[in-house]
């Protein structure tokens, strides 16, 4: 195991242990209810109340310590002493159980011994990623058991022997299981991160495949998919208006001839950026090729399309696209409103013909497509 992997698995083990411990602490009072039900008629009430008071104090200290670790952000190095100390205290709390409640009735003694076995069984699931913390929990339990053994006559040696065998087997069998569990969690998290990265790469690849590399707007293939999608949506909604604008920069060849292709590329980028800020969030902008662009206006009636087209034409003409060298341009725009049943190819062809008419009629104008 490399140092990085060792650090990662230790951190995972610590996080799993603390989270499991925090959840288990809130279930501890249920265990008290089981003990109370067992001892209610078989042990003196003052002994039962005293045990509950001691258990409550230990429980509250454990809750406060673990919540502080969670609040600070679990770190297996910084919080090791705190979490291990809490495990020791938790074990000692259960280990003191015989001091208060054993020795009053043989039946109750047997039941409480079973409770101790149940505690270690439940604890195994909590501590499965931290065998060292489990060892401290068991050590705390034995501190409590030895105190109970020396201070009262209720704890028989056979109970101690049975618990010692169970604790010994648990501690000896847990480490190899822990290693497999932690490595499994590590691989699960690594696979999740890998899947997330792969998803991000796929999204980036899809975006790149749908984007014109020069201007950053949709390319022709993406435009075709978008237009087909909007037409299908319009048809399913009962012919909601859909309009298409074809925008053709005027005299673009002269820009390249006068200022060079680098300036021409910069002008195209600036043109696309200026058009994009004038559109609605639901609109789509694409570059068909060269200096020709297309705007898809979902749900826009013809009057709204004319309004948008005039705004785009004015936005291009009002200020230079590039300041150095100074490049001014105008745009000719053709508008086509889709008719019922019309295909994307037909809609684009009519808008393109209208843009051609705008250029033929003097440029820097908006023309509506005919039937």
């Amino acid at each position: 195991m490399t140092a990085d992997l060792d650090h990662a698995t230790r951190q995972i083990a610590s996080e799993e242990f603390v989270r499991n411990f925090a959840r288990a602490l809130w279930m501890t009072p249920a265990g008290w209810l089981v003990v109370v039900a067992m001892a209610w008629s078989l042990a003196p009430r003052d002994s039962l109340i005293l045990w509950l008071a001691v258990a409550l104090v230990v429980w509250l200290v454990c809750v406060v310590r673990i919540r502080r670790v969670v609040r600070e952000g679990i770190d297996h190095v910084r919080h090791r002493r705190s979490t291990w100390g809490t495990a020791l205290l938790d074990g000692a709390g259960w280990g003191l159980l015989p001091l208060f409640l054993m020795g009053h009735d043989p039946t109750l003694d047997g039941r409480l011994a079973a409770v101790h076995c149940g505690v270690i069984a439940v604890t195994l699931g909590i501590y499965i990623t931290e065998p060292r913390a489990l060892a401290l929990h068991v050590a705390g339990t034995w501190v409590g058991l030895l105190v109970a053994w020396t201070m009262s006559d209720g704890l028989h040696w056979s109970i101690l022997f049975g618990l010692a065998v169970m604790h010994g087997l648990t501690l000896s069998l847990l480490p190899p299981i822990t290693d497999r569990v932690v490595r499994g969690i590590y691989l699960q998290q690594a696979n999740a991160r890998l899947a997330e990265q792969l998803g991000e790469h796929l999204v980036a690849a899809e975006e790149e495949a749908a984007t014109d590399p020069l201007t950053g707007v949709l390319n022709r293939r993406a435009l075709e998919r978008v237009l087909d999608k909007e037409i299908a949506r319009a048809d399913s909604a009962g012919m909601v208006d859909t309009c298409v604008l074809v925008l053709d920069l005027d005299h673009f060849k002269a820009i390249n001839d006068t200022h060079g292709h680098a300036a021409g590329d910069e002008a195209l980028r600036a043109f696309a950026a200026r058009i994009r800020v004038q559109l609605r969030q639901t609109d789509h902008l694409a570059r068909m090729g060269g200096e020709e662009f297309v705007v898809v206006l979902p749900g826009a009636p013809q009057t709204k399309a004319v309004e948008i087209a005039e705004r785009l034409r004015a936005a291009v003409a009002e200020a230079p696209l590039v300041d150095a060298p100074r490049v001014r341009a105008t745009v000719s725009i053709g508008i086509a409103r889709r008719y019922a049943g019309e295909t994307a190819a037909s809609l684009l062809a009519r808008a393109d013909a209208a843009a051609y008419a705008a250029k033929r009629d003097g440029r820097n104008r908006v023309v509506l497509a005919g039937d």
Side-chain angles (χ1 to χ4, degrees):
M1 181 185 296
T2 65
D4 289 342
L5 180 58
D6 185 61
H7 175 81
T9 54
R10 287 181 184 276
Q11 179 63 27
I12 290 170
S14 181
E15 290 174 357
E16 286 293 314
F17 161 62
V18 172
R19 293 194 185 101
N20 290 337
F21 196 7
R23 286 192 293 266
L25 281 173
W26 292 108
M27 296 186 291
T28 297
W32 300 344
L33 293 178
V34 173
V35 173
V36 169
M38 290 179 176
W40 188 256
S41 60
L42 301 175
R45 295 295 166 79
D46 56 345
S47 297
L48 187 57
I49 293 171
L50 185 58
W51 170 74
L52 282 173
V54 172
L56 179 61
V57 170
V58 172
W59 180 78
L60 287 173
V61 174
C62 291
V63 168
V64 169
R65 289 169 67 94
I66 287 298
R67 289 189 65 182
R68 184 178 61 190
V69 170
V70 173
R71 187 172 58 250
E72 292 176 356
I74 305 166
D75 183 272
H76 79 95
V77 175
R78 184 157 53 99
H79 294 126
R80 179 164 44 198
R81 290 184 179 180
S82 180
T83 54
W84 288 4
T86 306
L88 181 70
L89 183 62
D90 182 53
W94 285 105
L96 289 172
L97 178 65
L99 177 64
F100 301 97
L101 299 181
M102 281 189 174
H104 304 290
D105 184 275
T107 301
L108 178 60
D109 292 349
R111 292 175 179 176
L112 294 179
V115 167
H116 263 289
C117 293
V119 169
I120 192 63
V122 172
T123 301
L124 184 61
I126 300 168
Y127 289 78
I128 192 167
T129 61
E130 275 287 6
R132 287 169 291 188
L134 178 61
L136 288 169
H137 173 92
V138 170
T141 300
W142 276 92
V143 169
L145 290 172
L146 293 175
V147 169
W149 189 50
T150 56
M151 296 183 63
S152 71
D153 298 328
L155 187 57
H156 195 269
W157 69 268
S158 60
I159 295 176
L160 289 176
F161 177 77
L163 290 175
V165 171
M166 185 171 186
H167 286 162
L169 289 173
T170 301
L171 292 176
S172 63
L173 295 175
L174 185 60
I177 299 174
T178 295
D179 185 64
R180 288 194 294 271
V181 169
V182 174
R183 286 177 177 272
I185 296 172
Y186 175 83
L187 290 175
Q188 184 180 37
Q189 293 182 357
N191 288 337
R193 288 192 298 269
L194 184 61
E196 183 179 356
Q197 292 172 0
L198 181 59
E200 292 173 354
H201 288 316
L202 287 175
V203 170
E206 289 177 358
E207 291 179 352
E208 184 177 350
T211 302
D212 174 57
L214 177 64
T215 61
V217 302
L218 298 177
N219 58 26
R220 182 166 188 147
R221 288 183 60 188
L223 169 66
E224 292 171 354
R225 291 196 298 269
V226 165
L227 195 51
D228 287 340
K229 180 180 177 181
E230 294 297 345
I231 287 176
R233 182 181 299 171
D235 288 342
S236 65
M239 193 50 202
V240 176
D241 283 326
T242 298
C243 290
V244 167
L245 313 181
V246 171
L247 298 80
D248 199 324
L249 271 173
D250 298 326
H251 303 297
F252 184 70
K253 183 175 183 301
I255 295 175
N256 280 332
D257 292 342
T258 303
H259 302 289
H261 288 282
D265 289 347
E266 185 61 31
L268 288 173
R269 282 191 288 266
F271 173 78
R274 190 170 299 181
I275 295 299
R276 185 156 41 189
V277 298
Q278 298 290 331
L279 298 177
R280 305 169 302 174
Q281 288 187 341
T282 54
D283 299 334
H284 308 280
L285 174 62
R287 183 185 179 198
M288 287 285 285
E291 68 273 22
E292 191 174 58
F293 291 76
V294 173
V295 174
V296 181
L297 304 174
Q302 185 168 282
T303 54
K304 183 65 175 179
V306 171
E307 175 189 327
I308 293 173
E310 286 290 354
R311 186 169 71 239
L312 298 179
R313 183 197 61 77
V316 174
E318 69 183 5
L321 292 175
V322 182
D323 291 326
R326 192 174 183 83
V327 177
R328 301 191 69 97
T330 58
V331 62
S332 297
I333 303 177
I335 304 175
R337 175 182 177 273
R338 180 177 178 260
Y339 298 119
E342 186 175 18
T343 65
S346 173
L347 180 60
L348 277 173
R350 289 196 300 113
D352 192 54
Y356 179 78
K359 296 180 81 69
R360 183 190 60 209
D361 294 343
R363 296 182 172 85
N364 191 27
R365 64 188 61 216
V366 174
V367 172
L368 285 170
D371 294 344

